[in-house]
Amino acid sequence: GAVVSQHPSRVICKSGTSVKIECRSLDFQATTMFWYRQFPKQSLMLMATSNEGSKATYEQGVEKDKFLINHASLTLSTLTVTSAHPEDSSFYICSASEGPLYNEQFFGPGTRLTVL
Amino acid sequence: QKEVEQNSGPLSVPEGAIASLNCTYSDRGSQSFFWYRQYSGKSPELIMSIYSNGDKEDGRFTAQLNKASQYVSLLIRDSQPSDSATYLCAVRGGSNFGNEKLTFGTGTRLTIIP
């Protein structure tokens, strides 16, 4: 149980295009989903927290107009990187939680984005 | 002071020995504690969660929590080469009570030597 999927696993795009990444909880309802970014040999960096049906909460320094998050249902959240640039190239990982404080957070397999 | 601190390593342990990974946290009100394993190029995988003082065992893994000392550890018995990875300590609750986001340490890189 507790499986989280992400699609696509890898994407290469040209500078200036937008990329959408999907995160799905396959066997549980995720009231909360999280989006992280990780650069090579660095720690996970939380970008935003999204709750189903409400606006995402972005961490300080993360541009909400550039990284659009939609949590439309209890099993799906999407991250859209708008007008991507080479510096946005990174490993994007989502995680999902069923909700209350003691529930674990499960990670998807990640999406590697390369912007040319 | 970092909120969650780990020794970055690398920590080298002979195959078959016990690997001991340590983590301290600054928020005394923290409620939930997790250990994740991350292989190079992959996403983190949850291996242990612990919520109350004491030990929690799961197979070759034992998590230990001491809230008074604000300390959590992970022991890996009979270490295998496949245990070679970066281990992330994560904490939730305290000042983030009601907010489910995790605070991660920077991770300890563990290498098991055959």
Side-chain angles (χ1 to χ4, degrees):
Chain A
V3 179
V4 178
S5 69
Q6 265 184 259
H7 179 79
S9 58
R10 186 179 295 268
V11 58
I12 300 172
C13 68
K14 292 183 178 179
S15 185
T17 60
S18 294
V19 175
K20 180 186 281 189
I21 302 169
E22 291 188 349
C23 176
R24 293 181 185 273
S25 57
L26 299 184
D27 52 2
F28 66 100
Q29 293 190 323
T31 58
T32 309
M33 288 185 170
F34 304 84
W35 287 96
Y36 295 82
R37 182 167 56 178
Q38 188 174 38
F39 293 106
K41 299 193 186 302
Q42 293 189 23
S43 298
L44 289 168
M45 187 194 83
L46 178 66
M47 299 175 67
T49 303
S50 74
N51 290 290
E52 185 261 341
S54 60
K55 288 185 179 180
T57 301
Y58 290 82
E59 295 298 300
Q60 193 171 9
V62 177
E63 300 174 59
K64 58 183 178 183
D65 293 331
K66 181 169 184 63
F67 299 99
L68 302 179
I69 292 171
N70 184 5
H71 194 158
S73 76
L74 285 172
T75 60
L76 173 64
S77 176
T78 60
L79 167 68
T80 301
V81 183
T82 63
S83 186
H85 291 282
E87 59 265 29
D88 298 321
S89 298
S90 188
F91 191 39
Y92 291 86
I93 316 171
C94 73
S95 70
S97 167
E98 286 183 90
L101 187 63
Y102 291 89
N103 283 65
E104 292 99 346
Q105 202 176 112
F106 299 97
F107 283 83
T111 297
R112 195 162 301 282
L113 170 65
T114 302
V115 184
L116 301 176
Chain B
Q1 182 188 5
K2 291 183 182 177
E3 294 182 61
V4 179
E5 293 208 47
Q6 294 181 255
N7 188 324
S8 61
L11 174 65
S12 296
V13 173
E15 184 176 356
I18 296 175
S20 178
L21 304 163
N22 304 316
C23 172
T24 58
Y25 58 94
S26 61
D27 191 332
R28 186 168 289 277
S30 299
Q31 302 286 323
S32 312
F33 307 87
F34 307 90
W35 283 98
Y36 287 85
R37 177 175 63 197
Q38 186 175 24
Y39 293 113
S40 180
K42 302 294 185 182
S43 66
E45 172 192 8
L46 179 67
I47 52 174
M48 289 289 285
S49 58
I50 187 166
Y51 307 115
S52 54
N53 281 328
D55 295 359
K56 179 181 177 183
E57 187 175 315
D58 184 0
R60 295 186 296 112
F61 299 98
T62 299
Q64 299 174 316
L65 175 62
N66 184 326
K67 289 186 178 180
S69 300
Q70 295 173 241
Y71 175 90
V72 59
S73 66
L74 179 71
L75 300 177
I76 307 174
R77 290 181 299 281
D78 188 24
S79 297
Q80 302 296 310
S82 59
D83 295 326
S84 297
T86 296
Y87 288 81
L88 303 170
C89 173
V91 175
R92 192 163 79 188
S95 62
N96 285 331
F97 190 85
N99 180 338
E100 296 162 54
K101 69 178 184 180
L102 295 175
T103 301
F104 282 90
T106 52
T108 298
R109 189 155 59 92
L110 174 66
T111 300
I112 306 301
I113 305 167

